[in-house]
Amino acid sequence: RELSIVSERNRLSLELHDVVSQKLFSLMLTAEVVAEQIDADPTAAKAQAQRVKALAREALDELRSLILGLRPPELERDGLEGALRKELELFGRSSGVAVELHIEPPLPPPDSRRDFAILRIVREAVQNALRHANPDRIVVGLTARGVTVVDDGEGFVPADRELRARHLGLTSMEERAAEIGARLAIASACGDGTTVTLELPAK
């Protein structure tokens, strides 16, 4: 549990540094350009101001996404299907990528610990695809047997140790799967997209 906490802290630190801080830095630089152009070239300044607005929204979306990861939607109120649907809709709106949820009933009865782990694993898989794979479409499938997250992005080599060292999301998903006795498999190759499969333990 202590190793899992450390891993989660490291992951959050990397995400804040790699994504949010970079967007805020770009926001600051663009705001400086606006200040310089506002008198000399109002038209160009207006265009840069729109860029400031877009960067601010992107940073807000990233922070909101991180906060949702720490405090996810109320599973008891919405259930796993409802919570997943809301989160995937948010990802789709903020990224412009088609993010779909396919449900194959009947689903297993609610289990807060298991459902929380599923929500976090799906979130990590979708976020990894959006951030690193440049996909056109992501499909999340939920059944009583488990979950699949399939993207048509650029793909990668899952066994690449250097990649795992830079991005702790893969290890984080595996740790969460192990915590609920599930099996996580990642199938990917450069240019062939990625499939993340979470196989739940048989009852």
Side-chain angles (χ1 to χ4, degrees), residues 146-197:
V147 183
T148 57
V149 181
V150 183
D151 73 70
D152 61 357
E154 298 170 357
F156 67 104
V157 180
D160 187 335
R161 292 186 178 182
E162 184 178 346
L163 182 143
R164 282 178 172 266
R166 295 197 310 269
H167 305 292
L168 296 176
L170 300 178
T171 302
S172 173
M173 287 191 292
E174 291 169 346
E175 289 174 349
R176 292 189 183 282
E179 287 174 0
I180 58 172
R183 177 178 174 271
L184 188 83
I186 302 173
S188 184
C190 293
D192 287 336
T194 300
T195 298
V196 176
T197 303

Side-chain angles (χ1 to χ4, degrees), residues 108-161:
D111 180 308
S112 59
R113 182 168 174 267
R114 180 205 65 212
D115 292 349
F116 175 73
I118 290 174
L119 188 65
R120 292 300 300 273
I121 289 170
V122 170
R123 176 183 176 276
E124 189 70 50
V126 172
Q127 194 170 45
N128 283 346
L130 292 173
R131 188 171 294 165
H132 305 297
N134 193 31
D136 293 318
R137 183 170 180 248
I138 301 173
V139 178
V140 178
L142 177 63
T143 73
R145 300 180 299 278
V147 183
T148 57
V149 181
V150 183
D151 73 70
D152 61 357
E154 298 170 357
F156 67 104
V157 180
D160 187 335
R161 292 186 178 182

Side-chain angles (χ1 to χ4, degrees), residues 53-64:
K53 181 179 179 181
L55 285 169
R57 178 159 296 281
E58 289 173 10
L60 179 61
D61 287 341
E62 289 290 349
L63 281 171
R64 185 178 290 128

